[in-house]
Amino acid sequence: MRAALAWHESPEHSQGWDLHTHTVFSDGQCTPSEAIELAKNAGIAGIALTDHDSAQGWSEAEKRARELNMPLIRGTEITAEWGHTSVHMLAWLYDPTNEALAELFRTTRINRVRRTKKMVEMMGKKYPITWEDVLKQAGGTAQTTIGRPHIADTLVAKGLFATRSEAFLGPVSSKSEFYLPVISPQVDEVITIVKDAGGVVAIAHAGSFARNKEILSDQDIRHFADLGLDALEVWHRENSPEQRVRLLKLASRLGLLATGGSDWHGPHGKPNLLGENLTDPQTLQAIVTRGVLPVVE
């Protein structure tokens, strides 16, 4: 644990990998090509593309990564649930032809659209927004995973809020009168499917109280480790220093990897900066050896 803490405070930290980023194929603001270019310019060692419930941005990202010699890990962020807790999971280096995983993504995107439409309908009684407005903010692809961030962007575009983050503190908040949960698979189901697809799976921002009143307990995480969970995202801006220490100790006890990622969504909206939290080279190598899909180099 001390070694992990020391590396994240050392000059070598800039040579780590950002394993949690988003593009226009979910709720990010940049194309996959732009994300690769920005990561290259930032001087970080490598990047993982992890759009929500989608692998649609992979081919564009791979093409640009090869052109720029920018190492790339292909992945996805998957929304799951456990009890009363919404759990985001990062899946890296899995076989994209796996039908069970593809079906999970399709089902989740359908559920997200239905939920988001209903929220917009409810919100439209108080704010001047429509579903067409939200689709415009989501961009031009049918494969984009549509969710609450696009509602927030619509409210900003209408001049009702200054930023996406401000909208998320108001009507888009999970505590808002307009909030509806998305129907999601169970965490244990996600772990099983990702592992069967040859992937590596982590729990994202595992100590964040910003998203849930209840976070996963040590016992919950021990159960997931027994099922094949590979890692915990320790280095994330929503994990407090106390939670980082807790998660590092837990990872050490359970033999889990401790990863870092920015959860970057682009230059505007969320304050997260590309490369602000990174994964060290040794942990990165352990992830690469476990996945079935090679790193793009």
Side-chain angles (χ1 to χ4, degrees), residues 44-120:
I44 59 179
I47 185 176
L49 189 74
T50 54
D51 281 315
H52 288 282
D53 307 301
S54 175
Q56 294 300 319
W58 283 14
S59 59
E60 179 185 335
E62 179 181 355
K63 180 176 183 294
R64 193 61 178 138
R66 292 191 189 282
E67 291 172 349
L68 295 180
N69 294 316
M70 181 65 191
L72 167 70
I73 280 181
R74 290 160 286 183
T76 300
E77 185 169 10
I78 303 171
T79 304
E81 59 185 27
W82 191 254
H84 299 294
T85 303
S86 175
V87 182
H88 287 193
M89 310 187 73
L90 296 167
W92 303 295
L93 302 176
Y94 60 82
D95 177 3
T97 67
N98 183 274
E99 184 53 36
L101 198 49
E103 179 59 28
L104 185 147
F105 293 161
R106 282 193 293 269
T107 301
T108 301
R109 284 200 298 273
I110 290 170
N111 289 338
R112 276 184 177 273
V113 168
R114 288 173 178 168
R115 170 263 206 147
T116 309
K117 272 187 176 180
K118 183 62 178 177
M119 286 184 65
V120 171

Side-chain angles (χ1 to χ4, degrees), residues 140-156:
T141 171
Q143 297 301 324
T144 297
T145 301
I146 301 174
R148 285 190 297 153
H150 300 113
I151 301 178
D153 290 344
T154 302
L155 293 168
V156 172

